[in-house]
Amino acid sequence: MNRPSTMHRRNAVSALAALAIACAPAHAQSDAQKQLASERFTIVSPFPPGGPVDTLARMLSDGLSKRYGQPAVVENLVGAAGNIGIDKVRRAKGDGHTLLVVPAGNLTINPTLMRNFPFDIERDFVPVTMLAKAPNVLVAAPSSGIKSAQELVAMAKARPGTLSYASPGVGSGLHLAGELFKQQAGIDLLHVPYKGTAPALNDVLGGAVPLMFSNLPATLPFLKQGKLVAIGVTEARRSAAAPDIPTLAEQGIQGVTVTSWYGLMAPKGTPAAVVEQLAKDAAEVLAQPEVRERLKVQGMTDAAMTPAEFSTYIRDETAVWARIIKARNIVAE
């Protein structure tokens, strides 16, 4: 049997190499991507369906499922101020397949506010990225006659300790926003805590309580209908979702920058490369035009950052709220 010539062998090798290149994926998967593509995802939302935490969890689950060809299920594990869902993720295997979408307060306020807080955020979890943020807004009942921060301050100084504001509960981020506002404005307001945003907002809408700090998405429909009056947003810049509402800083109340934000966390032990990949995936999902539009409708904007940046952000904000909680002697109910 005749042996093939050297040239023929070289041609065959070249053909096989070309075929291999043609059949290879355009972008070879990294080890982290292969790990994430190996099984289904569980994304825990520790609050009920329909809210911003659930909305973000579902946006992320849809994005991860499409990217990795695996089911991504959202579990709403409600109870104990979010701690039931958080605990499930704390106990999960750190492989990138069980993730937590959680609001700021559970990471930066509750560790100081709650006696016997059951977690150590830095020890038990790995920060992945901030997902989105929404400005908070100080609103007034139309019956109060208050239309600006200056009018509010003047009224509060004329009637110290009698003008009241509602919040979703003692130690909530919106309660602390009110305490920070009082401190920076040099006034005394009466805090009226409720068990949740809905009952607090209902009483402000009904005029039973004149004021409330709320997140913009919750109040935007009522502001548009004229059922609430916007006093000012608690951000450095006006919100793209409501550009006509001035900031409190514009009205002379400095240092009241309180944003509602939502983050993505993984269990301890999750490899750094997997965490970095998840942060990139989340950023790309949030950058999609249709996702940005959905966020905008709800008064939110994407706020992706690196795991290192997010870790520093959590640590810094925890320190800020710890000082306010201790200075104002705020105790959880």
Side-chain angles (χ1 to χ4, degrees):
M1 182 166 51
N2 293 330
R3 299 181 65 180
S5 68
T6 302
M7 181 176 293
H8 286 162
R9 288 200 301 273
R10 286 176 179 170
N11 288 341
V13 169
S14 298
L16 288 172
L19 181 62
I21 292 170
C23 294
H27 300 285
Q29 282 191 322
S30 67
D31 289 342
Q33 289 171 317
K34 290 175 183 176
Q35 164 70 16
L36 290 169
S38 65
E39 59 181 276
R40 58 176 277 168
F41 295 90
T42 297
I43 301 175
V44 175
S45 166
F47 294 96
V53 174
D54 178 71
T55 297
L56 287 165
R58 294 184 189 281
M59 288 180 181
L60 184 63
S61 70
D62 183 58
L64 290 178
S65 180
K66 288 176 180 176
R67 281 168 178 267
Y68 293 109
Q70 290 285 352
V73 178
V74 174
E75 286 190 13
N76 297 95
L77 297 178
V78 181
N83 286 346
I84 291 176
I86 295 171
D87 188 56
K88 171 168 181 170
V89 178
R90 181 184 67 84
R91 293 182 288 105
K93 183 180 179 182
D95 59 6
H97 292 102
T98 302
L99 302 168
L100 173 70
V101 176
V102 67
N106 290 86
L107 301 177
T108 63
I109 295 174
N110 289 356
T112 302
L113 182 73
M114 291 184 169
R115 292 192 180 97
N116 303 316
F117 187 65
F119 315 113
D120 183 315
I121 299 300
E122 288 200 46
R123 181 194 66 207
D124 295 335
F125 300 94
V126 180
V128 178
T129 186
M130 188 182 291
L131 294 171
K133 59 183 180 179
N136 293 319
V137 60
L138 174 58
V139 297
S143 60
S144 71
I146 302 170
K147 296 182 180 178
S148 69
Q150 292 92 338
E151 290 178 359
L152 190 164
V153 170
M155 188 180 294
K157 288 184 174 179
R159 298 157 41 192
T162 60
L163 195 62
S164 59
Y165 75 98
S167 87
V170 172
S172 64
L174 299 173
H175 170 208
L176 298 185
E179 294 300 305
L180 184 57
F181 177 80
K182 287 163 56 176
Q183 176 179 294
Q184 297 303 107
I187 58 176
D188 186 18
L189 301 175
L190 178 65
H191 176 225
V192 182
Y194 288 77
K195 292 185 177 180
T197 299
L201 190 55
N202 284 340
D203 269 10
V204 177
L205 286 165
V209 182
L211 299 163
M212 180 180 179
F213 281 88
S214 181
N215 58 58
L216 186 58
T219 56
L220 204 51
F222 303 110
L223 292 170
K224 290 178 178 178
Q225 295 164 16
K227 294 180 179 179
L228 290 173
V229 176
I231 304 302
V233 293
T234 62
E235 281 205 331
R237 299 182 183 87
R238 296 192 182 200
S239 169
D244 293 336
I245 303 176
T247 68
L248 291 174
E250 285 178 59
Q251 301 173 73
I253 313 298
Q254 303 294 331
V256 187
T257 305
V258 184
T259 302
S260 292
W261 55 263
Y262 309 90
L264 180 65
M265 307 290 284
K268 65 180 178 182
T270 305
V274 171
V275 172
E276 294 283 351
Q277 183 60 50
L278 285 167
K280 291 176 185 177
D281 292 334
E284 290 174 8
V285 169
L286 294 167
Q288 294 173 3
E290 64 273 21
V291 172
R292 283 190 168 179
E293 187 58 33
R294 288 173 64 191
L295 291 174
K296 183 179 177 181
V297 168
Q298 299 200 34
M300 295 190 286
T301 56
D302 67 278
M305 55 180 66
T306 68
E309 290 169 339
F310 189 37
S311 181
T312 300
Y313 194 98
I314 292 171
R315 191 177 299 117
D316 290 348
E317 188 158 300
T318 300
V320 169
W321 290 127
R323 287 194 295 270
I324 293 172
I325 290 167
K326 291 170 183 175
R328 310 294 292 189
N329 196 28
I330 300 169
V331 180
E333 295 174 310

